[in-house]
Amino acid sequence: MQDCQGKLMTSNANEKCEAFRICICEESGEQSQKTEKEENMADKKLVEAITAMEDDFAQWYTDVVKKAELLDYTSIKGCMVFKPAGYAIWELIQRQMDDRFKATGVENVYLPMFIPESLLNKEKDHVEGFAPEVAWVTHGGLQPLQERLCVRPTSETLFCDYYKNAVQSYRDLPQICNQWCSVVRWEKETRPFLRSREFLWQEGHTAHATAEEAEERTIQMLNVYADFCEEVLAIPVIKGRKTDKEKFAGATATYTIEALMHDGKALQSGTSHNFGDGFAKAFGIQFTDKDNTLKYVHQTSWGTTTRLIGAVIMVHGDNSGLVLPPRIAPTQIMVIPIQQKKEGVLDKAYELKERLGAFRVKVDDTDKSPGWKFSEQEMRGIPIRVEIGPKDIEAGKCVICRRDTREKIEVSLDEIETKAGEILDLMQKEMLEHAREHREEHTYEAKDMETFRKLFAEKSGFVKAMWCGEQACEDQIKEEMAVTSRCMPFEQEQIGETCVCCGKPAKKMVYWGRAY
RNA sequence: CGAAGCGUGGCUCAGUUUGGUAGAGCGCUGCGUUCGGGACGCAGAGGUCGCAGGUUCAAAUCCUGUCGCUUCGACCA
């Protein structure tokens, strides 16, 4: 402890102070009052490393992204380097989501990244929605192009162009395709993972013989997303339908999953659209049905993006950095040897790694101090670490420390595989529970405008309130307090009889919030 | 697109007001001592100061222009 005090004074590597403080509280409760002075200093110095989320959530977010080495900026605004730690998370998301897609009959395809302007222009609402943010290719080599090409902001038009030829008969339906790719939207303001000019995503596009079948697929994929978020990302979501004001350009209905971040702001985490036959009519996608009549197909599209990584950061992270749910943690277990130069310590660490081979496990055998390695593991969000040193080896045990609770658990070396598995499972489960508790605590109800205003002035979170269905009320609420309707949830509650804004008879209960 | 801030070794920044031999800490390399919550010593390497003009005997510093990044708003995944 004296040692650390000394370090506090002389070092400007700061996170250790926070870590030290927490360690004291854990190991011996009665010592907590003696360190008030140290705590002040620790709090002050910590700010330089990872900004406390209570002080400045946006800065905390950026700090975590940098400290966990997920991304790097490049010389182009809004275009990021996904570093190994960041890309590995995306790969795990991709793999697990893709498995769930395939289980519902989805096939993967790949379409070009360029869209001729004339093709983009075919569906009026669609082009109006995206025109302000498309990037254009005007030259091929040194020659100007006859027709400029848009870099896809989304691929509805390309899929339509493809389906137009691929679909002739009812026997060619349904078409259930998905592609993993990147798209470009020239955003003014960019933020790592949440809003970049080029981003990675998947976009599913389907064509069906009937409206019912299209609607069924739209909802089915929304459910896939919701289950994925909860089971894999440990993020609880609200499933619902977007109002007309918020729906996708060109869609007849947009469904969404909405998640609540730690700072109480909402994040649209995935959308599923039903296009009806609007695109089919604009693009002429017709088929001959069993009754020998020509019909238009009914289409859907659905997408999720690397924004999900931003959601994970903002739902689970804390002031020591990233906290990853085990299922998407590129490294689930970090084995940290103590006094690794002592005979047999490293060998034991490698042996543990072998035995934990069922998990994604690494040994930190760098020559950094153990304290450094602990902080590093925490900033990177690695779910559990295994501390192993001479004392442990002698006692035939090791210490497992959980990232989310920082609980230290002594485990006999004989049962490390089972224990590690149990702890990871428990952590995955409890992270979802904690996120759900947080959302419940930050979900409010308003029956009248006064309460509604007060809630958004004083609290941060979702507010459930009734709505008449008129866009005028949405506009007024947005104008007045920068709050938007997040969705009309599938699970409706009758909070009141009248619209929170205008007082006319209410049609739907709506989740309102400030969004990312 | 509006507002603010910032461009100086890999990183964070000082130096710019008042022009005069490019600095610090961290990181990096080597050797040694350490190791249960960001250890320490010694020795090293590394920068045409965002870019382009201009003023001057002399520019990181003054002038003009330009490019870029970050944050906050409006718009959007």
Side-chain angles (χ1 to χ4, degrees):
Chain A
M1 255 170 270
Q2 294 87 334
D3 189 30
C4 184
Q5 229 165 349
K7 286 168 202 162
L8 277 174
M9 309 305 289
T10 58
S11 168
N12 59 354
N14 308 302
E15 301 90 323
K16 64 185 166 190
C17 304
E18 168 71 359
F20 172 65
R21 199 180 52 187
I22 284 159
C23 176
I24 285 179
C25 298
E26 265 177 16
E27 286 177 355
S28 163
E30 84 275 21
Q31 291 182 43
S32 52
Q33 75 277 41
K34 73 176 271 290
T35 56
E36 198 178 334
K37 211 164 119 189
E38 289 172 31
E39 281 192 28
N40 290 339
M41 182 165 296
D43 285 344
K44 202 170 76 187
K45 294 205 131 197
L46 178 70
V47 171
E48 295 170 27
I50 295 180
T51 306
M53 51 166 77
E54 302 77 23
D55 295 345
D56 182 348
F57 194 80
Q59 190 59 49
W60 167 85
Y61 177 80
T62 309
D63 288 349
V64 170
V65 167
K66 276 192 265 183
K67 282 284 183 179
E69 297 198 45
L70 303 179
L71 285 186
D72 254 356
Y73 294 108
T74 69
S75 50
I76 303 171
K77 178 186 171 75
C79 294
M80 309 299 186
V81 174
F82 274 68
K83 299 176 80 168
Y87 198 75
I89 295 173
W90 182 239
E91 286 182 309
L92 286 162
I93 289 176
Q94 269 187 314
R95 196 181 307 160
Q96 293 171 79
M97 194 182 279
D98 201 61
D99 286 346
R100 289 166 188 247
F101 288 165
K102 302 264 172 66
T104 72
V106 173
E107 294 179 296
N108 283 335
V109 295
Y110 185 81
L111 275 60
M113 72 184 303
F114 300 120
I115 307 174
E117 186 166 17
S118 54
L119 195 59
L120 185 73
N121 288 345
K122 282 196 175 180
E123 211 286 335
K124 186 173 151 289
D125 290 341
H126 186 69
V127 68
E128 279 175 11
F130 283 100
E133 53 189 19
V134 293
W136 294 98
V137 177
T138 57
H139 285 69
L142 300 175
Q143 300 299 317
L145 296 174
Q146 282 192 342
E147 178 183 16
R148 59 180 185 163
L149 303 173
C150 141
V151 183
R152 64 180 165 217
T154 178
S155 304
E156 271 74 12
T157 52
L158 291 168
F159 273 92
C160 285
D161 201 40
Y162 161 61
Y163 287 148
K164 185 180 63 176
N165 295 324
V167 177
Q168 303 293 328
S169 147
Y170 72 91
R171 295 179 215 273
D172 299 324
L173 295 171
Q175 293 278 337
I176 305 172
C177 295
N178 174 67
Q179 76 172 347
W180 292 93
C181 64
S182 76
V183 290
V184 170
R185 297 182 190 176
W186 215 253
E187 300 288 350
K188 302 286 197 300
E189 192 211 338
T190 61
R191 297 207 53 197
F193 293 119
L194 301 175
R195 179 158 296 111
S196 47
R197 285 182 174 171
E198 181 185 10
F199 56 92
L200 301 173
W201 80 342
Q202 58 70 215
E203 49 178 328
H205 296 266
T206 70
H208 306 268
T210 65
E212 294 71 29
E213 211 182 290
E215 178 68 8
E216 197 180 315
R217 174 56 70 166
T218 314
I219 300 297
Q220 179 183 26
M221 297 319 288
L222 190 79
N223 285 330
V224 168
Y225 289 156
D227 292 346
F228 176 84
C229 283
E230 305 206 343
E231 290 164 20
V232 179
L233 306 181
I235 296 175
V237 294
I238 307 283
K239 291 187 277 190
R241 182 173 172 174
K242 286 286 189 189
T243 62
D244 283 352
K245 177 180 167 66
E246 300 288 332
K247 80 180 181 194
F248 181 83
T252 57
T254 290
Y255 301 95
T256 178
I257 49 172
E258 298 285 327
L260 195 67
M261 303 298 102
H262 199 275
D263 64 343
K265 281 170 90 171
L267 188 77
Q268 178 177 306
S269 306
T271 47
S272 187
H273 314 288
N274 188 340
F275 290 129
D277 58 7
F279 275 91
K281 284 178 172 160
F283 285 82
I285 313 172
Q286 288 177 299
F287 68 100
T288 309
D289 208 348
K290 287 174 188 167
D291 59 8
N292 199 31
T293 61
L294 213 47
K295 291 178 181 167
Y296 287 106
V297 298
H298 288 75
Q299 290 170 275
T300 79
S301 87
W302 21 276
T304 54
T305 77
T306 36
R307 169 175 258 207
L308 288 174
I309 299 174
V312 167
I313 298 169
M314 290 195 291
V315 168
H316 300 303
D318 64 22
N319 281 343
S320 295
L322 189 60
V323 181
L324 288 172
R327 286 186 188 157
I328 53 150
T331 303
Q332 296 171 306
I333 303 173
M334 184 63 86
V335 180
I336 299 183
I338 313 287
Q339 295 196 46
Q340 62 187 32
K341 283 190 183 167
K342 290 254 169 74
E343 178 86 26
V345 173
L346 269 179
D347 289 341
K348 186 55 98 177
Y350 295 137
E351 183 196 318
L352 288 183
K353 183 190 166 186
E354 287 295 313
R355 286 176 46 195
L356 292 166
F359 309 100
R360 296 185 286 271
V361 58
K362 281 184 177 169
V363 177
D364 189 346
D365 55 5
T366 63
D367 56 6
K368 297 286 188 191
S369 70
W372 178 284
K373 294 177 183 179
F374 295 167
S375 298
E376 199 69 18
Q377 169 253 333
E378 288 176 0
M379 284 191 295
R380 289 165 189 271
I382 295 167
I384 62 180
R385 70 164 177 263
V386 175
E387 301 174 20
I388 180 84
K391 288 186 223 162
D392 300 305
I393 297 171
E394 200 175 324
K397 62 163 186 70
C398 64
V399 175
I400 292 184
C401 182
R402 244 174 90 165
R403 174 62 184 88
D404 58 337
T405 59
R406 277 208 176 83
E407 182 188 2
K408 288 193 174 186
I409 307 149
E410 287 203 350
V411 172
S412 161
L413 289 177
D414 303 329
E415 46 180 18
I416 181 136
E417 297 97 324
T418 16
K419 283 289 178 190
E422 284 170 18
I423 292 169
L424 287 170
D425 286 347
L426 188 65
M427 187 172 159
Q428 179 80 35
K429 185 167 147 267
E430 290 186 355
M431 284 177 73
L432 175 61
E433 284 168 10
H434 287 148
R436 187 168 275 134
E437 282 165 20
H438 176 269
R439 188 186 69 192
E440 298 311 320
E441 286 164 11
H442 292 81
T443 301
Y444 312 95
E445 284 183 19
K447 289 193 173 69
D448 54 72
M449 205 53 182
E450 192 188 339
T451 315
F452 195 79
R453 282 196 192 96
K454 197 158 181 279
L455 282 169
F456 277 112
E458 293 169 7
K459 311 275 189 187
S460 192
F462 282 133
V463 173
K464 297 188 279 191
M466 302 306 289
W467 176 55
C468 60
E470 295 298 323
Q471 190 175 326
C473 288
E474 282 182 282
D475 289 342
Q476 190 190 324
I477 286 167
K478 185 170 182 183
E479 173 76 17
E480 191 181 322
M481 49 197 130
V483 166
T484 52
S485 66
R486 303 319 307 156
C487 71
M488 303 177 279
F490 292 158
E491 289 181 21
Q492 284 282 314
E493 299 164 51
Q494 194 67 32
I495 290 173
E497 304 297 323
T498 56
C499 174
V500 71
C501 184
C502 66
K504 288 181 199 153
K507 288 195 178 133
K508 286 282 182 186
M509 188 270 275
V510 168
Y511 274 88
W512 303 85
R514 294 205 170 89
Y516 270 97

